[in-house]
Amino acid sequence: MKKKILAVVVALAAFVGLFASQPVQKQSIQAAKTTKTAKKTTKKAKAKQISVTYTLKDTTKAKNKQTLAKKTFKVKKGTTVFTVLKKAWKVNYTKSSYGVFITKIKGLGNEKKKLYWTYTVDGKMPKVAADKQKLTKNKSKVVFTLKKY
């Protein structure tokens, strides 16, 4: 009789041990899946980041284009030209139904003297205001130029 009780206790212990380890294994598998998902999300976030170089030029005082400042930024793909500009320097502007009209950058610009800012993205002048132009290409070059009109 003692041998039967002992056999039942050993069988029960083995049975409980077998099923008790199952949730731990599932948790380990779930943790591994969560880690893989987090790594994929991080890679996607990095893939959505692009590098953009901004240059400020002044053509009003010298015959040659004088570079005033140059900065490179890592930004989220789809960020507007204007959003990055405002983070880089102090910007004065007015709003209209067409978008923003930049009047001063770093204190430079003068409506009375007809000095205004224009911009290009990768050498091309966009057809929209800076707050409507999105940055989508890695290593884009944005140039703001102060000109007299």
Side-chain angles (χ1 to χ4, degrees), residues 8-21:
V8 170
V9 169
V10 170
L12 257 171
F15 182 76
V16 169
L18 178 67
F19 286 105
S21 67

Side-chain angles (χ1 to χ4, degrees), residues 100-111:
V100 296
F101 179 72
I102 299 165
T103 55
K104 290 184 180 182
I105 302 174
K106 290 181 63 173
L108 298 171
N110 189 328
E111 290 180 65

Side-chain angles (χ1 to χ4, degrees), residues 79-138:
T79 302
T80 67
V81 168
F82 186 62
T83 300
V84 180
L85 179 69
K86 287 191 311 182
K87 288 181 182 179
W89 298 285
K90 185 178 184 323
V91 179
N92 294 40
Y93 60 94
T94 57
K95 289 184 179 182
S96 75
S97 59
Y98 299 105
V100 296
F101 179 72
I102 299 165
T103 55
K104 290 184 180 182
I105 302 174
K106 290 181 63 173
L108 298 171
N110 189 328
E111 290 180 65
K112 290 179 183 176
K113 293 183 179 180
K114 297 184 180 183
L115 299 177
Y116 298 102
W117 288 96
T118 62
Y119 79 101
T120 60
V121 178
D122 296 324
K124 298 177 184 174
M125 188 173 286
K127 296 178 182 179
V128 295
D131 63 328
K132 309 260 190 239
Q133 180 65 41
K134 294 186 179 191
L135 297 165
T136 57
K137 184 179 158 196
N138 191 32

